[in-house]
Amino acid sequence: MKHLLSILLILCLVLFQLSAAELFPLPLEAGPEVKVALVLSGGGARGFADIPIIAALEEAGIPIDMVVGTSMGALVGGMYAAGYTPEQMVSLVESYDMVEMFAVSPISSRNPELSVFAEHKNNIISLEFDSEGIGRAPSLIGDQKILEMLNDSLIKTSLITDFDTLSIPYRAIGTDLITGEKIIFSEGSLVAAIRSSISIPGLFAPALTDGRAVIDGGVVDNLPIEVAKDMGADIIIAVDVNSADYLRKAEDITSLSQVIEQLVVIITRNTIVDQLDDAHLLFSVMLGDYGPLDFSSFRQIMEIGAAHAAEAQDEIEALRAYLTDAGVTMRNQREVRRYDSLPDIYIDRVSHTRLDPDESKRDFFPIEDFVCLEGNPFDTAMMALLKSELDQLRELNRYATVTYRIRNIVCDREGNPHGELDIVTREFPTRKLTLSLGLFGSTSMRLSPRDGYTFDFDPDISIELGIAEFLNERLTFNLMILQREAVQIDTSLRYRFSPSFSFGMNHEYKRGYLWGGDDVVPGTTDGQDLSYTVSASGYATYRNSMEVKFTSSFDNLWYRQTDGSYSYTFVPSLSLGGVYTSQDFSLFPKEGTRIDFDIDISAKDLDFGYRFDFRGVRTWEPVDNSFFSIRGFAGISRSVAHRRTDYFSYGGAREIVTLSPSFRVKDRLLTSINYVHAYTRPTIPLLFKVELTAGLRGLSTEDIYGSSPPVPIAPFEFFRDSSFDLMISTGLGLQIQNADILFGIALDTHLNTAIFVEVF
């Protein structure tokens, strides 16, 4: 029996050696110089399966002498070549929101609105088009988040411009969008090489690299085995994460999207079929249940990759045995230089590079905001500070991408690297026609000891058409239809003398509830009031965040009387308004400040009136994803016209939500303290908000018009019969692309309660 077991053992060893020899034919010259290459295919989210396979190869001690990758394979391979361990890559993936990273809009939409006291934005859709095409962006997905991750994770590799001197020699594959030529990245910026290789056509915008528009390398070589051979590889380990696609049958293609997907499969598979036979060890990971865009399923994909590696353990051991017989020393791959061992780079100066196609569109860049980074090592703290500044810059200026790089690196006598931090901005071309749609407003159910139960449903709608270069390259035409309390049609022409100065003519027509007593006096709320306004304005703009406007207006008003007749009023006025903002235009603003003010002087029959309005918001982020805001409102109105716009809104979701949105006052002083916490992990960010609001108000429209004749107010009589209000509210918010939504409940000191929904 012992002899039989010995014979069987010897046969197994012989068969094992034969299998190894068959799988891995000896190179021409065996010895310690045998080179092993790891080749990783493209495949989008499926590429996460590469990570556990790399871990299995490391565990077996198989040395990797070079890495070649396409698309997602270039990303994973680049991280590995830079010195990241598989465990570090997993931690990195888990620390980012993968859905957000690969699903962010290519153009920021949460920009501030420079219009004084702007109260709405086009949050449903904003479509730009002209004869050159539809949309500003040549992609569905923006690269802001992916570039943030690549820069934050690989900025130390700025020291290395020759990819052969990385921890592991590395190549990435891209495609020239114009010529169709295969581009092999072997030097330059590692971040730029990876970004170029992952530029899936239609999803990511082409990368601009050395004057070339580069798209995904999978178009020309989705499993670049030949490139590895050209680098001198003797043994090639290849990972193809798209194998399940090759098993489809005709009956599996039942929709247009599946037809398009199959065309992509054909294109990418045709780039690899002639290379597969050159792979000595091929991992064909079956990921048929997960598509290239299933980034939210990265854990499940990595689990499948780990299971596949476990199933291929015999092949891995066979490769190990063959390499050992060929004279290759097994080693712990972690003895290779790790990314963490690279030194931080000192920043000597800050510069700015603009990738905008039209240089005239960007006249100013706040380079001084980044000078504070000079003279410091670019460590984790400096990186976090820079990221905060870049986030605000993108929001404020609607850049498609605001990123950075370190270039012109030299070492001092002590060997410390010094370089230039270059802020890189990119904006896609502006189309001549813009069609926008907005839906905003609030809905509330209120219970009051005085008025009982009331329900307010007050949606507001905006439709806007803008035409750039209208008759003249400096002239812009704008048409807006706005349904709020009154139907408003607004047309304007604005001529831009320079990037900082412009002049505009505005014509405004309103039909609806325009008189201050419409909500109080019976028989006047039939929506038949009319207003026609002509105005001329001069604008001065600074740094894309501040605007001062001087306006001369001529307001013609027709108030409908209870007998059906109209009374006419003509009100000329002069006003000076301004706005400064350094925060996003949102219900949940991030760090920054916004200040609006408006001073108006009007006349009627030699009587003069005035109106002053102020609003200020300051927001801090003392800890990550927690925001504190202080808001202040102040207003005094002694106008001579009795228009609804001459009163201040005091109720509704933006002020005292327990009061009706139509509640208006002549004097107001409001302040509020807000706390917002953002839960960033879900696909749709959730926000928790608490607000404490205190207000002091003068006479309301009900106080003034509830008696006959209306209560007169002297020009310098402030806060007559004033009332104090204190309210606390709490709610949950959502931020979805362009829109903010808040669901909340509120209670005030008068025991008024409200449940409300606000859309902005």
Side-chain angles (χ1 to χ4, degrees):
M1 185 68 177
K2 290 176 60 179
H3 294 294
L4 179 59
L5 290 174
S6 299
I7 292 170
L8 289 173
L9 180 59
I10 292 171
L11 286 173
C12 287
L13 290 173
V14 170
L15 289 172
F16 179 80
Q17 294 299 326
L18 287 174
S19 174
E22 183 179 74
L23 280 171
F24 315 108
L26 280 172
L28 295 177
E29 296 182 7
E33 297 305 316
V34 173
K35 299 296 183 182
V36 180
L38 176 64
V39 181
L40 305 176
S41 75
R46 292 170 170 175
F48 290 124
D50 295 335
I51 299 175
I53 292 174
I54 294 173
L57 295 172
E58 279 200 350
E59 188 175 347
I62 293 174
I64 303 298
D65 300 297
M66 60 192 73
V67 179
V68 187
T70 294
S71 195
M72 193 66 174
L75 194 158
V76 175
M79 301 293 294
Y80 190 52
Y84 276 85
T85 67
E87 291 77 12
Q88 287 175 325
M89 284 192 278
V90 171
S91 297
L92 186 66
V93 170
E94 290 179 340
S95 67
Y96 284 88
D97 186 333
M98 287 294 108
V99 174
E100 180 186 27
M101 185 173 299
F102 292 94
V104 67
S105 169
I107 299 178
S108 173
S109 57
R110 311 195 65 78
N111 62 306
E113 176 57 62
L114 282 182
S115 176
V116 180
F117 287 100
E119 294 185 345
H120 81 281
K121 58 185 177 181
N122 300 312
N123 56 10
I124 301 300
I125 189 174
S126 184
L127 181 64
E128 300 185 29
F129 55 97
D130 58 16
S131 59
E132 300 296 324
I134 298 176
R136 295 177 63 193
S139 63
L140 297 176
I141 298 174
D143 60 357
Q144 179 71 23
K145 293 298 181 181
I146 189 67
L147 277 172
E148 284 180 7
M149 188 275 286
L150 291 174
N151 272 318
D152 294 351
S153 308
L154 296 172
I155 193 62
K156 292 182 180 181
T157 63
S158 301
L159 290 161
I160 303 168
T161 57
D162 182 354
F163 293 172
D164 283 338
T165 58
L166 288 165
S167 295
I168 305 172
Y170 170 77
R171 299 292 186 271
I173 308 301
T175 305
D176 190 307
L177 178 61
I178 306 302
T179 66
E181 174 189 357
K182 178 163 71 175
I183 302 173
I184 302 173
F185 291 96
S186 60
E187 61 183 5
S189 164
L190 179 60
V191 169
I194 295 172
R195 167 64 184 89
S196 299
S197 187
I198 65 173
S199 302
I200 303 172
L203 294 181
F204 280 125
L208 302 179
T209 307
D210 297 329
R212 307 171 82 176
V214 185
I215 60 173
D216 195 295
V219 175
V220 291
D221 195 348
N222 204 42
L223 191 64
I225 292 172
E226 288 294 333
V227 175
K229 290 171 61 179
D230 292 341
M231 292 176 68
D234 301 298
I235 297 297
I236 293 173
I237 304 170
V239 183
D240 184 5
V241 295
N242 303 300
S243 300
D245 293 341
Y246 311 149
L247 304 179
R248 287 179 179 168
K249 299 177 181 179
E251 55 268 25
D252 298 329
I253 311 299
T254 60
S255 67
L256 176 60
S257 61
Q258 289 174 325
V259 170
I260 296 173
E261 187 177 342
Q262 186 62 19
L263 289 175
V264 176
V265 171
I266 292 171
I267 293 171
T268 55
R269 189 174 190 278
N270 284 343
T271 69
I272 72 172
V273 289
D274 295 333
Q275 304 184 67
L276 290 175
D277 291 341
D278 291 328
H280 300 88
L281 177 55
L282 176 64
F283 292 91
S284 298
V285 189
M286 306 302 291
L287 289 161
D289 292 336
Y290 299 96
L293 299 181
D294 285 330
F295 291 99
S296 61
S297 303
F298 65 91
R299 291 186 179 86
Q300 295 89 327
I301 292 172
M302 286 193 288
E303 288 173 1
I304 293 174
H308 185 84
E311 292 171 0
Q313 196 61 40
D314 290 344
E315 287 84 351
I316 295 174
E317 289 300 325
L319 174 59
R320 175 187 171 89
Y322 167 72
L323 291 173
T324 301
D325 290 345
V328 178
T329 302
M330 296 298 102
R331 68 170 182 262
N332 185 346
Q333 194 72 24
R334 305 191 180 200
E335 295 174 358
V336 176
R337 184 183 70 222
R338 303 260 57 96
Y339 177 79
D340 293 339
S341 67
L342 295 174
D344 292 323
I345 304 170
Y346 284 79
I347 304 302
D348 288 338
R349 64 183 297 266
V350 180
S351 61
H352 172 231
T353 297
R354 178 178 290 118
L355 298 180
D356 301 342
D358 186 352
E359 289 287 331
S360 66
K361 298 296 183 183
R362 289 288 168 204
D363 52 277
F364 173 83
F365 183 84
I367 194 71
E368 64 272 15
D369 292 350
F370 302 92
V371 173
C372 61
L373 300 173
E374 294 181 352
N376 296 299
F378 196 66
D379 54 16
T380 303
M382 288 296 101
M383 193 179 298
L385 177 61
L386 176 62
K387 182 179 181 299
S388 175
E389 292 289 339
L390 295 186
D391 284 345
Q392 292 186 50
L393 190 62
R394 181 173 187 255
E395 299 291 350
L396 290 173
N397 293 277
R398 295 198 73 192
Y399 288 115
T401 305
V402 181
T403 186
Y404 64 92
R405 59 191 176 189
I406 300 179
R407 61 184 184 180
N408 301 329
I409 299 173
V410 296
C411 291
D412 59 22
R413 293 180 180 178
E414 289 75 30
N416 298 314
H418 292 251
E420 172 187 321
L421 178 66
D422 187 36
I423 311 298
V424 182
T425 60
R426 180 179 184 179
E427 184 185 17
F428 298 129
T430 301
R431 303 299 182 191
K432 293 182 180 180
L433 297 174
T434 304
L435 182 63
S436 305
L437 176 67
L439 177 64
F440 48 98
S442 62
T443 297
S444 61
M445 293 183 292
R446 303 189 319 278
L447 183 62
S448 167
R450 172 187 167 185
D451 301 322
Y453 168 81
T454 56
F455 175 74
D456 288 304
F457 179 63
D458 188 28
D460 303 321
I461 300 172
S462 68
I463 302 174
E464 191 168 357
L465 173 66
I467 305 176
E469 300 181 13
F470 180 71
L471 303 178
N472 182 286
E473 63 179 9
R474 294 177 178 268
L475 193 62
T476 300
F477 171 80
N478 197 77
L479 168 66
M480 183 178 69
I481 301 174
L482 182 65
Q483 168 59 59
R484 300 200 69 180
E485 295 154 332
V487 177
Q488 177 178 331
I489 301 175
D490 193 335
T491 61
S492 65
L493 286 172
R494 186 161 173 172
Y495 187 86
R496 192 178 183 90
F497 291 96
S498 72
S500 301
F501 297 98
S502 55
F503 175 80
M505 293 289 297
N506 184 77
H507 301 80
E508 180 184 285
Y509 168 80
K510 287 184 180 180
R511 182 186 183 96
Y513 308 109
L514 307 179
W515 180 48
D518 277 342
D519 295 321
V520 179
V521 180
T524 61
T525 57
D526 55 4
Q528 298 300 309
D529 296 340
L530 300 174
S531 170
Y532 180 73
T533 304
V534 179
S535 61
S537 302
Y539 306 84
T541 306
Y542 177 63
R543 291 184 56 167
N544 301 306
S545 61
M546 184 167 67
E547 182 174 86
V548 176
K549 179 176 69 171
F550 180 79
T551 304
S552 174
S553 297
F554 303 91
D555 200 353
N556 300 270
L557 294 134
W558 288 267
Y559 294 135
R560 183 179 173 89
Q561 307 300 306
T562 55
D563 61 1
S565 63
Y566 285 90
S567 63
Y568 171 73
T569 300
F570 173 65
V571 185
S573 63
L574 296 174
S575 66
L576 177 67
V579 55
Y580 164 78
T581 181
S582 63
Q583 62 180 206
D584 53 330
F585 191 41
S586 168
L587 279 182
F588 316 103
K590 298 177 182 178
E591 271 196 304
T593 302
R594 181 179 177 116
I595 296 174
D596 297 79
F597 76 90
D598 186 48
I599 302 171
D600 182 270
I601 299 175
S602 57
K604 177 187 174 186
D605 300 331
L606 299 180
D607 290 330
F608 290 89
Y610 62 92
R611 185 179 188 272
F612 169 76
D613 198 4
F614 169 85
R615 176 175 66 188
V617 182
R618 180 71 177 97
T619 305
W620 297 268
E621 186 182 10
V623 296
D624 288 344
N625 301 315
S626 291
F627 303 91
F628 285 92
S629 296
I630 295 178
R631 299 193 306 159
F633 303 80
I636 297 171
S637 177
R638 296 297 180 266
S639 175
V640 294
H642 305 297
R643 296 167 295 192
R644 284 173 70 118
T645 53
D646 291 322
Y647 295 82
F648 302 106
S649 178
Y650 192 79
R654 306 268 182 95
E655 283 79 24
I656 304 290
V657 69
T658 51
L659 299 175
S660 168
S662 62
F663 192 88
R664 290 172 174 78
V665 296
K666 274 290 188 180
D667 310 285
R668 71 167 176 175
L669 189 63
L670 276 167
T671 185
S672 68
I673 300 174
N674 298 268
Y675 168 74
V676 174
H677 181 76
Y679 300 92
T680 59
R681 295 301 299 174
T683 303
I684 300 176
L686 291 173
L687 303 106
F688 171 72
K689 180 177 182 179
V690 178
E691 178 177 353
L692 180 65
T693 303
L696 182 68
R697 54 184 162 98
L699 292 176
S700 68
T701 52
E702 184 173 324
D703 298 326
I704 295 171
Y705 298 106
S707 60
S708 183
V711 176
I713 307 175
F716 299 100
E717 179 184 11
F718 305 133
F719 291 95
R720 176 175 170 179
D721 299 332
S722 61
S723 297
F724 177 76
D725 300 279
L726 183 65
M727 179 203 72
I728 184 169
S729 69
T730 184
L732 286 176
L734 294 173
Q735 285 189 316
I736 48 175
Q737 192 60 35
N738 297 339
D740 299 334
I741 305 174
L742 176 64
F743 303 85
I745 185 169
L747 173 69
D748 66 25
T749 50
H750 305 294
L751 300 182
N752 300 314
T753 59
I755 299 174
F756 64 95
V757 179
E758 184 176 9
V759 179
F760 178 63

